[in-house]
Amino acid sequence: AHRLPRAGRTNNMLVLVTGTDEEAKDYVVGLFVSSVIVACFFLAWIILLVVLKGMGSKRVGWLSGRRQPLPAKPSSSLNQSRNSKNEEATEPDGGKNDGTVTANEELTASEWEDLYQKKKKDELWMKVVMVLACSTVIAMAIIMAQKGVDSLRGSLS
């Protein structure tokens, strides 16, 4: 039988056919309560997705549904001029760099290539996770459909 919580109401579907009007009403109310609970969950989920999407990838990262864009690929003439400037002056923090890129800072070609390779690797992992998740959903749908058919056959015999 079904074991969904029905706010203290009956879960016996036969009362719709064989029960009194009060028992049938009790069943329908219990069904409605469980449906409202599921609808509220999905409504909250949709609101969360819309809010994260609106915040953008710069504020919440991949939770917005988008990757942070790569900075523009540096040209070789920019790298040569930057290297000559770096030889003349040291950085204000004593030459220490924590690996983060700010909007004012230009990347060298090798730094950009490292960042690009990291993003490609992250993208590959995300694709693998998505394929596994989709495969699991498909497999579970097939299993549940088969169990439902077996249950229906069992109830008819």
Side-chain angles (χ1 to χ4, degrees), residues 40-50:
C40 287
F41 172 77
F42 283 112
L43 183 63
W45 185 265
I46 289 170
I47 289 171
L48 178 67
L49 289 177
V50 168

Side-chain angles (χ1 to χ4, degrees), residues 10-79:
T10 181
N11 65 357
N12 185 2
M13 193 162 58
L14 291 177
V15 299
L16 286 174
V17 178
T18 61
T20 66
D21 287 341
E22 186 64 34
E23 289 174 327
K25 182 179 173 186
D26 192 44
Y27 177 81
V28 171
V29 168
L31 189 62
F32 180 72
V33 168
S34 60
S35 299
V36 168
I37 290 171
V38 171
C40 287
F41 172 77
F42 283 112
L43 183 63
W45 185 265
I46 289 170
I47 289 171
L48 178 67
L49 289 177
V50 168
V51 167
L52 290 173
K53 180 83 169 173
M55 292 176 80
S57 64
K58 294 224 184 253
R59 289 179 66 191
V60 293
W62 60 270
L63 291 174
S64 70
R66 293 179 184 249
R67 298 184 301 159
Q68 278 189 326
L70 276 172
K73 187 172 184 177
S75 65
S76 58
S77 62
L78 257 171
N79 288 332

Side-chain angles (χ1 to χ4, degrees), residues 115-152:
L115 184 61
Y116 176 76
Q117 291 302 323
K118 181 183 179 309
K119 292 261 186 189
K120 291 304 263 183
K121 190 166 99 174
D122 291 348
E123 185 178 309
L124 175 69
W125 277 110
M126 187 57 74
K127 287 179 181 178
V128 167
V129 167
M130 287 301 296
V131 166
L132 289 174
C134 291
S135 300
T136 302
V137 168
I138 291 169
M140 296 311 293
I142 292 169
I143 290 170
M144 284 192 271
Q146 183 61 38
K147 293 282 187 184
V149 168
D150 291 344
S151 176
L152 180 61

